Amino acid sequence: SSAAIVAGIIAGLVLAGHRLPCWGSEALLQIACGIEGHPDNVAPAIYGGIQIGIHNGTRWETERVPCPAGVQLVMFIPDFIGKTSDARGVLKPEISRADAAFNISRASWLVLALCMGNLDNLKWAVQDRMHQPQRAGKIYKYLYPMIEAAQGAGASCAYLSGAGPTVMAITGGASGDIFAQRTKERSDLAVAKAMMRAASEHGIKGKLVVTKVSNEGAKVVKVHPPFSTGEITYGDEV
C-alpha cells in the first residue's frame, strides 16, 4: 500500500507539472504519511534504504540508517494473502512494562548493529515480544520453525516482515554481482533452501526471493514529453 501511495502521489505531481519543497519540510513525506498514518513504509519508498521516522509534534521526519556492506535479503513469500486486520486482531491492547523494555532495548540494539555493520548482533536485535509470538501462535505456525531453519543455515537473523505473512532473513558475504561470486562465500542459497524445507514441513506453499536493500527510492522512469533535452540529459534519459 505504501509503494502504491507514493507512486500515485509522484505520478500526480508529474501529470500536474507541480513540484514540492523537500529540505526543511519534506512535503512529499507529509502527504504520504497523512494517507498511510505513519512513515514506516512510505519513507523508504520515497527515499530508499533503511529509514527511521518519527513525528516531532509538528511534522513527520525520517533519517537513513546505514546498511552494512554485503547484505542480502532472503524472503519467503507464502502464496496466501495475510490480512492486516487479522494480524492486528490477535494483539492485546496493552503490553507489560517488561515486554516494552525488552523491545525498546532490541530496537536500540538493531540501530547500533546496523550503524556498526555488525551482522552478528542482528540475531538478538530482531527478537520481539510484542507481535511475533502472538501472530505465530494463532496465524503463522511456520514462523519460528522457519526462523530457526534460516539461522541454522547461516542467516544473521530472520523475522516476520511487517504483519506477515512474509518471513525475511538477512545474510551477508555478498560482493559485487553475486553471479560472478563463488556461492560458498555466501549463505543466501543455503538459507533459501532451509526456509523452503521448513515451509514444506508445515504445508505452506510459496516462493523465495533473494534481493538486496535498494538505496534508491521512487523515481520517474518514463515521461512524455521527456525532461531531458538536447542539451541536458538526465539519468536513464527520462
Side-chain angles (χ1 to χ4, degrees):
S1 61
S2 294
I5 288 170
V6 172
I9 296 171
I10 292 179
L13 289 170
V14 174
L15 289 172
H18 186 64
R19 300 188 181 190
L20 299 173
C22 182
W23 301 114
S25 60
E26 297 181 294
L28 177 56
L29 178 68
Q30 309 311 308
I31 296 172
C33 287
I35 299 171
E36 180 73 353
H38 56 80
D40 298 0
N41 300 316
V42 295
I46 293 171
Y47 299 115
I50 303 171
Q51 300 280 333
I52 295 182
I54 63 167
H55 194 279
N56 66 10
T58 302
R59 67 179 182 89
W60 295 101
E61 292 192 61
T62 186
E63 290 289 347
R64 182 187 297 263
V65 177
C67 177
V71 161
Q72 285 190 286
L73 309 176
V74 183
M75 297 179 286
F76 174 77
I77 306 174
D79 61 1
F80 65 87
I81 297 175
K83 294 184 178 180
T84 302
S85 57
D86 292 341
R88 289 177 177 169
V90 302
L91 303 181
K92 296 180 180 180
E94 297 179 351
I95 59 173
S96 69
R97 182 179 299 175
D99 287 348
F102 181 94
N103 268 53
I104 290 171
S105 68
R106 267 53 184 185
S108 302
W109 198 251
L110 173 61
V111 175
L112 177 64
L114 293 172
C115 288
M116 298 297 292
N118 189 337
L119 299 184
D120 292 337
N121 278 342
L122 290 179
K123 179 180 179 180
W124 317 113
V126 300
Q127 289 180 326
D128 169 80
R129 289 184 183 175
M130 292 175 62
H131 81 106
Q132 286 193 160
Q134 297 86 336
R135 287 166 171 165
K138 295 185 178 181
I139 305 177
Y140 310 126
K141 303 289 186 180
Y142 57 88
L143 175 59
Y144 282 116
M146 189 171 291
I147 289 175
E148 292 177 4
Q151 293 180 167
S156 298
C157 68
Y159 53 90
L160 185 67
S161 179
T166 295
V167 178
M168 180 85 77
I170 295 179
T171 66
S175 180
D177 188 331
I178 63 170
F179 298 108
Q181 181 186 15
R182 292 188 300 177
T183 303
K184 66 180 182 180
E185 293 182 347
R186 310 185 319 274
S187 59
D188 53 282
L189 183 58
V191 170
K193 290 181 177 179
M195 294 173 74
M196 285 297 290
R197 284 194 298 269
S200 178
E201 290 170 358
H202 286 78
I204 304 296
K205 295 182 179 180
K207 65 178 181 179
L208 256 296
V209 176
V210 179
T211 185
K212 60 182 179 180
V213 175
S214 173
N215 288 315
E216 185 175 42
K219 66 174 184 177
V220 177
V221 295
K222 187 175 182 180
V223 64
H224 183 79
F227 294 136
S228 297
T229 65
E231 296 179 343
I232 302 174
T233 299
Y234 289 93
D236 300 327
E237 297 186 354
V238 176

